[in-house]
């Protein structure tokens, strides 16, 4: 035990002898100095991460994690929060272990910590990078004020199969949008840079291609061509690494037959060599252990050796590094230098967070009390929630049912999600206090005039077939002037381990909708869901439909803001809505095939029982006003790979209300050495327009926008004809052409 010199002063002394005073070298000096003092067991302790018992986010718990801390057998704890509790655990490490190395505290702060923002799929529907970055900045402020150093976010897995429940946690189907959001979220979490006490380490996940499990079934195998991986799934991870994500989490799935957690190709080749990632890689929950059921490891020792050799630095919750590495080193099967390499990567982050200077700097109850759920955070959440809402239907032009009047006499609020407090914060809602979330019923009551009579009936449960509440709902609907009907999935029916084989409304909700429709009253359907749902009947019968995802703490107020026109909806779908689950996977950037659809030609690519088109296309969303587009104007009809091409799009607010539109720019490569998608998003801009106002929106295309993995797997463009599309979604577009010389 070090008697007089504490480890910190010893390190200061040793690192002051570092070769140069460049911060980088000094830091390396400190890390190497500390490493030189560590025993093999202490090193392996730094490679182990265990959950506390404050939250459950996986299949196993760790009895005696406090003892692990005392014995230096663990370097990081997750699912522990509050300044008080993290301080208590930190004391065990810093006061009771030989080298007093501080713990790292991680948590799934995915869409807010205490103030909960819309689920990430909902935030993606805002197409608002500033708002998304701000949401995660606030999440980081709150989390770091509760002792958390590290969030297991952003999740950037591209997802094109809504049967997979974790589509809710990401940014949807598109590579370009997903990459922009990935970078914005890393900036949000890491702020001015980790080391700032209001920032947390980001952890881009799940590397890689976890969003493409076979049949949308959770944890299922992933198999795709390297071209598909590199063109579609890899870029968002790359964008997050480029934005400086401090850490990466390996995914549960195998890729090309090798579990990501033990994939030298993914972790060393792609992540470290190609993407120049220099942080540390943590496994997903027990995924080192899962190499055994994957069938690539026969026992603990081979699983640990495979993962460490592949570049997996930290073992989350399996305890396989702790159990097997000492012996593997002693038997000469694993070099200690490999362990040193991973320990260095982890210690660097602890130094960069300032934990060796002050291990308790994040565990400050004063800061916690003054930071958590500040009014401006709640206002930001309401703003983000409003921006996430997508208006899917509002028929009738000037006579449309929305926006509603606040002076409506009788308003019936019906449905199992109309007053569902817990569901508002959705899955992965960290330490969010659901008891503080605002329900739709409360939001409506707060918005309408005192003269309005608001009635409420559940109508039915989210799941189950009981019809006992139906009659009351029908009765209230009959008495009302207008009905707001909230249906969808339970807040935990998406997220991890929540795949579904159907995308229909669960339970008897469809029956509820039909019964309310039969009353003949004007109905606004408010959807609450974490994935696209097959709501074709609702689309055919309801006059108005709002997609509201799970909007978080301020859900009710945000939906009311849109319902009553205090906010003109501007959201656009980040995922395609199928008509039926049999169309899945369905997404806008499909291939044309050799027999593209000809409706009257049997021998073309189609179904015999359903059309090819989705119910709602990617990028779709309406407004209380209308926008008209002119065809894109190009600065030239040719360009070379060395220059750029300017595209301007004139858009006009042709309606009667001020509104915000997301102008989208798509590109199609007409002929390539391999088949190319019918179009790909290459730019978007949000623009606000007053009634009658027009604006020119400018985009600049460069060679990288036209580049892809060619037949020989080199990345680049190919000369030939291209089409440019511009519009308010991926279907209703105007176009122009140019040639790449
Ligand atoms: C879970 C999730 C991962 C999460 C981790 C820790 O299984 O797959 O996204 O960060 O475990 O909770």
């Amino acid at each position: 035990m070090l008697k007089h010199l504490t480890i910190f002063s010893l390190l200061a002394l040793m690192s002051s002898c570092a070769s140069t005073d460049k911060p980088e070298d000094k830091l390396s000096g400190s890390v190497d100095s500390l490493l030189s003092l560590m025993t093999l067991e202490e090193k392996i302790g730094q490679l182990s991460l265990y959950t506390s018992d404050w939250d459950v986010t996986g299949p196993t718990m760790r009895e005696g994690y406090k003892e692990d801390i005392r014995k230096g057998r663990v370097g990081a704890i997750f699912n522990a929060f509050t300044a008080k509790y993290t301080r208590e655990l930190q004391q065990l490490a810093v006061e009771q272990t030989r080298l007093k190395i501080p713990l790292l505290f991680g948590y799934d702060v995915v869409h807010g910590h205490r103030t909960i923002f819309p689920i990430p799929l909902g935030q993606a529907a805002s197409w608002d990078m500033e708002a998304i970055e701000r949401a995660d900045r606030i999440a980081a402020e709150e989390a770091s004020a509760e002792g958390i150093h590290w969030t297991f976010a952003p999740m950037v897995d591209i997802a094109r199969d809504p049967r997979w429940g974790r589509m809710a946690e990401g940014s949807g189907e598109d590579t370009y949008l997903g990459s922009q959001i990935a970078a914005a979220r890393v900036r949000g979490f890491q702020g001015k840079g980790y080391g700032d006490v209001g920032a947390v380490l980001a952890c881009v996940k799940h590397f890689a291609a976890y969003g493409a499990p076979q049949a949308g079934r959770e944890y299922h195998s992933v198999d795709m061509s390297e071209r598909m991986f590199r063109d579609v799934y890899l870029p968002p991870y790359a964008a997050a690494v480029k934005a400086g994500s401090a850490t990466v989490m390996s995914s549960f799935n195998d890729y090309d037959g090798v579990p990501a957690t033990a994939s030298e190709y993914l972790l060393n080749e792609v992540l470290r060599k190609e993407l120049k990632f220099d942080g540390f890689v943590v496994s997903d929950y027990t995924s080192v252990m899962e190499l055994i059921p994957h069938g690539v490891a026969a026992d603990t020792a081979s699983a640990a050796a495979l993962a460490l050799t592949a570049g997996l630095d930290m073992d989350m919750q399996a305890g396989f590094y702790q159990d097997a590495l000492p012996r593997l080193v002693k038997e000469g099967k694993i070099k200690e230098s490999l362990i040193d390499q991973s320990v260095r990567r982890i210690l660097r982050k602890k130094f960069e967070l300032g934990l060796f200077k002050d291990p308790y700097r994040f565990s400050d109850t004063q800061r916690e009390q003054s930071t958590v759920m500040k009014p401006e955070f709640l206002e930001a959440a309401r703003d983000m929630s409003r921006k996430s809402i997508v208006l899917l239907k509002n028929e009738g032009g000037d006579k449309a049912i929305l926006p509603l009047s606040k002076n409506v006499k009788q308003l019936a609020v019906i449905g199992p999600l109309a007053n569902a407090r817990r569901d508002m914060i959705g899955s992965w809602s960290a330490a969010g206090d659901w008891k503080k979330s605002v329900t739709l019923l409360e939001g409506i009551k707060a918005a309408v005039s005192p003269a309005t009579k608001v009635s409420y009936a559940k109508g039915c449960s989210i799941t189950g077939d009981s019809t006992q509440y139906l009659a009351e709902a029908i009765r209230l609907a009959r008495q009302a002037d207008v009905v707001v009907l909230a249906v969808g999935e339970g807040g935990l029916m998406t997220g991890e381990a929540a795949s579904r084989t159907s995308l229909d409304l669960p339970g008897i909700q469809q029956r509820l909708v039909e019964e309310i429709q039969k009353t003949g009253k004007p109905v606004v359907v408010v959807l609450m869901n974490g994935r696209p749902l097959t709501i074709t009947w609702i689309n055919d019968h309801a006059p108005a439909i709002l997609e509201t995802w799970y909007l978080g703490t301020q859900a009710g107020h945000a939906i009311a803001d849109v319902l009553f026109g205090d906010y003109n909806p501007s959201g656009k779908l980040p995922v395609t809505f199928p008509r039926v689950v049999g169309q899945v996977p369905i997404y806008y950037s499909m291939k044309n095939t050799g027999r593209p659809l000809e409706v009257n030609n049997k021998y073309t690519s189609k179904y015999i029982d359903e059309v090819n088109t989705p119910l709602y296309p990617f990028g779709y969303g309406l407004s209380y006003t209308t926008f008209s587009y002119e065809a894109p104007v190009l600065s030239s009809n040719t360009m070379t790979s060395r220059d750029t091409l300017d595209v301007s799009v004139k858009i006009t607010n042709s309606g009667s209300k001020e509104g915000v539109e997301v102008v989208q720019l798509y590109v199609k490569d007409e002929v390539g050495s391999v088949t190319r998608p019918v179009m790909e998003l290459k730019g978007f801009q949000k623009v606000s327009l007053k009634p009658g106002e027009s604006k020119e929106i400018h985009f600049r295309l460069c060679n990288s926008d036209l580049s892809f993995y060619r037949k020989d797997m080199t990345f680049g463009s190919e000369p030939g004809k291209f089409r440019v599309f511009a519009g308010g979604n991926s279907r209703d577009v105007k176009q122009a052409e140019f040639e790449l010389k």
Side-chain angles (χ1 to χ4, degrees):
M1 176 70 80
L2 295 154
K3 290 277 182 276
H4 308 299
L5 270 180
T6 71
I7 176 68
F8 312 116
S9 45
L10 182 66
L11 282 180
L13 186 69
M14 293 169 97
S15 57
S16 66
C17 324
S19 51
T20 71
D21 55 2
K22 266 200 288 182
E24 204 48 30
D25 297 350
K26 224 172 162 180
L27 179 54
S28 303
S30 303
V31 169
D32 287 339
S33 307
L34 176 53
L35 192 67
S36 67
L37 300 173
M38 296 170 75
T39 65
L40 178 61
E41 281 64 26
E42 286 165 337
K43 291 176 183 176
I44 293 165
Q46 291 303 306
L47 308 189
S48 302
L49 163 68
Y50 296 130
T51 180
S52 91
D53 50 9
W54 272 39
D55 198 346
V56 180
T57 58
T60 68
M61 292 309 285
R62 178 86 183 175
E63 299 309 319
Y65 63 90
K66 292 182 183 175
E67 193 54 18
D68 290 321
I69 298 172
R70 285 191 194 92
K71 294 274 191 302
R73 290 196 296 247
V74 61
I77 292 286
F78 65 114
N79 293 336
F81 47 89
T82 70
K84 182 172 179 297
Y85 189 50
T86 54
R87 178 176 285 270
E88 184 189 312
L89 296 179
Q90 194 67 285
Q91 273 166 337
L92 298 181
V94 168
E95 293 173 16
Q96 297 194 29
T97 63
R98 186 177 78 90
L99 289 175
K100 309 178 184 319
I101 299 173
L103 290 169
L104 209 50
F105 291 112
Y107 195 32
D108 291 283
V109 182
V110 175
H111 53 105
H113 177 62
R114 292 286 183 184
T115 304
I116 301 301
F117 287 79
I119 55 170
L121 191 63
Q123 293 190 40
S126 74
W127 293 55
D128 190 324
M129 297 310 115
E130 270 172 45
I132 290 170
E133 181 174 342
R134 186 167 170 226
D136 289 335
R137 189 83 293 285
I138 290 169
E141 290 284 349
E142 290 194 340
S144 60
E146 291 210 14
I148 292 160
H149 307 125
W150 178 31
T151 178
F152 302 139
M155 184 275 213
V156 304
D157 306 315
I158 292 291
R160 296 176 159 181
D161 187 332
R163 292 173 293 182
W164 188 53
R166 300 196 78 166
M167 176 180 264
E169 293 173 54
S171 301
E173 72 185 54
D174 184 66
T175 302
Y176 182 85
L177 179 62
S179 300
Q180 301 297 312
I181 292 175
R185 301 199 66 195
V186 169
R187 291 193 302 267
F189 287 126
Q190 297 186 165
K192 299 192 281 287
Y194 35 87
D196 163 45
V197 79
V200 293
L201 303 180
C203 180
V204 58
K205 70 185 186 182
H206 305 77
F207 194 71
Y210 176 41
Q214 221 167 191
R217 199 182 85 201
E218 184 60 288
Y219 314 124
H220 209 331
S221 213
V222 168
D223 211 348
M224 63 176 72
S225 68
E226 187 183 356
R227 175 172 290 108
M228 171 64 89
F229 173 63
R230 287 179 174 277
D231 273 341
V232 177
Y233 288 81
L234 180 58
Y237 303 110
V241 168
K242 190 173 175 201
S245 182
T247 68
V248 169
M249 182 183 293
S250 69
S251 56
F252 289 122
N253 58 286
D254 57 347
Y255 167 79
D256 194 18
V258 180
T261 299
S263 169
E264 292 201 57
Y265 170 72
L266 289 177
L267 301 184
N268 279 335
E269 199 51 47
V270 175
L271 185 59
R272 291 200 185 278
K273 289 197 189 110
E274 278 186 46
L275 301 183
K276 308 273 184 285
F277 173 67
D278 65 358
F280 71 81
V281 180
V282 62
S283 78
D284 203 340
Y285 209 111
T286 64
S287 61
V288 174
M289 177 279 291
E290 293 165 18
L291 298 179
I292 296 174
H294 265 299
V296 295
D299 52 34
T300 303
S302 50
L306 267 179
L308 186 71
T309 309
L312 195 281
D313 300 305
M314 187 185 278
D315 166 10
M316 180 193 286
Q317 191 62 12
F320 272 34
Y321 278 13
Q322 181 187 322
D323 294 348
L325 289 184
R327 188 156 167 213
L328 284 166
V329 170
K330 287 188 176 85
E331 290 173 353
K333 291 178 182 161
I334 284 280
K335 287 196 174 59
E336 187 160 354
S337 57
L338 203 55
I339 292 175
D340 291 351
Q341 172 182 261
S342 294
V343 175
R344 276 196 192 88
R345 290 167 178 160
I346 293 162
L347 290 181
R348 282 185 77 84
K349 294 302 166 228
K350 295 186 176 183
F351 274 103
E352 286 167 344
L353 283 166
L355 296 179
F356 283 97
K357 283 205 182 72
D358 174 5
Y360 303 110
R361 64 194 293 255
F362 286 72
S363 304
D364 170 352
T365 44
Q366 236 83 48
R367 191 162 74 93
E368 180 181 88
Q369 276 141 25
S370 62
T371 304
V372 168
M373 295 194 98
K374 288 196 286 198
E376 58 263 42
F377 289 179
L378 292 170
E379 192 40 49
R382 183 168 177 165
D383 178 56
M384 181 83 246
S385 300
R386 284 192 291 250
K387 288 175 175 169
S388 302
I389 294 172
V390 183
L391 178 60
L392 296 177
K393 186 178 179 185
N394 191 27
E395 73 183 1
D398 294 344
K399 300 206 174 17
I401 184 174
L402 290 176
L404 299 175
S405 159
K406 290 183 180 178
N407 301 310
V408 63
K409 281 204 174 37
Q410 302 233 32
L411 198 159
V413 185
I414 294 172
L417 285 152
N419 199 30
R421 203 175 300 284
R422 169 63 192 79
D423 299 282
M424 292 306 98
I425 61 176
S427 60
W428 291 113
S429 43
D433 183 352
W434 62 269
K435 295 187 281 303
K436 291 189 180 143
S437 60
V438 179
T439 68
L440 173 59
L441 177 62
E442 290 164 341
I444 288 174
K445 284 182 173 174
V448 293
S449 71
T452 301
K453 183 176 175 309
V454 178
S455 61
Y456 161 69
K458 191 164 87 161
C460 67
S461 299
I462 293 170
T463 56
D465 55 9
S466 166
T467 58
Q468 66 180 45
Y469 305 108
L470 268 182
E472 172 64 2
I474 296 164
R475 186 180 69 78
L476 291 182
R478 285 198 179 118
Q479 289 171 355
D481 299 309
V482 68
V483 178
V484 175
L485 178 54
V487 291
E489 297 175 307
L492 298 175
M493 289 179 74
T494 43
E496 186 171 356
S499 291
R500 288 181 67 198
T501 57
S502 161
L503 303 175
D504 294 340
L505 285 174
I508 63 159
Q509 295 185 72
Q510 179 59 33
R511 174 150 172 221
L512 172 65
V513 177
E514 292 175 19
E515 293 293 348
I516 299 302
Q517 192 61 28
K518 273 186 216 155
T519 66
K521 297 290 180 170
V523 181
V524 179
V525 172
V526 174
L527 284 179
M528 296 179 180
N529 45 305
R531 56 163 54 94
L533 296 178
T534 41
I535 55 162
T536 312
W537 188 92
I538 292 177
N539 180 62
D540 293 345
H541 295 84
I545 307 168
L546 280 182
E547 171 55 75
T548 70
W549 318 104
Y550 301 108
L551 290 173
T553 305
Q554 294 279 51
H557 291 318
I559 300 171
D561 290 342
V562 169
L563 281 173
F564 297 102
D566 290 335
Y567 183 82
N568 183 354
S570 57
K572 298 283 185 178
L573 293 178
V575 280
T576 301
F577 271 53
R579 296 174 188 277
V580 291
V581 70
Q583 289 180 304
V584 167
I586 180 171
Y587 47 93
Y588 82 93
S589 54
M590 301 284 257
K591 299 295 184 73
N592 202 37
T593 79
R595 291 197 173 184
L597 174 66
E598 288 171 31
V599 177
N600 301 319
N601 180 341
K602 173 185 170 71
Y603 299 102
T604 59
S605 181
K606 62 184 182 300
Y607 303 97
I608 59 171
D609 59 353
E610 188 51 88
V611 296
N612 286 7
T613 55
L615 184 60
Y616 307 117
F618 173 81
Y620 178 82
L622 301 174
S623 167
Y624 291 150
T625 189
T626 52
F627 299 98
S628 61
Y629 286 78
E630 292 183 13
V633 175
L634 310 184
S635 55
S636 163
N637 55 14
T638 62
M639 76 177 265
T640 71
S641 59
R642 292 175 307 288
D643 54 29
T644 60
L645 185 76
D646 289 337
V647 182
S648 72
V649 180
K650 184 173 180 182
I651 172 176
T652 302
N653 180 340
S654 46
S656 57
K657 291 186 173 67
E658 182 166 355
V660 173
E661 171 74 330
V662 179
V663 180
Q664 300 158 45
L665 186 82
Y666 298 86
V667 172
K668 172 171 175 44
D669 187 346
E670 297 282 21
V671 178
S673 57
V674 292
T675 55
R676 305 285 294 122
V678 294
M679 60 164 56
E680 295 173 291
L681 182 71
K682 295 296 178 186
F684 59 87
Q685 290 182 40
K686 283 187 88 165
V687 59
S688 178
L689 290 166
K690 292 183 175 48
E693 186 183 9
S694 296
K695 279 183 182 169
E696 295 258 340
I697 309 301
H698 297 285
F699 298 93
R700 175 158 292 175
L701 290 175
C702 58
N703 192 54
S704 62
D705 295 316
L706 313 180
S707 296
F708 61 100
Y709 281 86
R710 297 172 289 205
K711 191 171 183 184
D712 61 2
M713 284 308 282
T714 59
F715 183 74
S717 61
E718 292 173 346
K721 282 196 175 7
F722 286 80
R723 263 191 280 165
V724 175
F725 307 90
N729 62 67
S730 58
R731 178 190 63 199
D732 311 313
V733 290
K734 299 273 173 69
Q735 57 183 287
E737 285 187 357
F738 71 92
E739 185 168 359
L740 177 65
K741 293 287 187 194

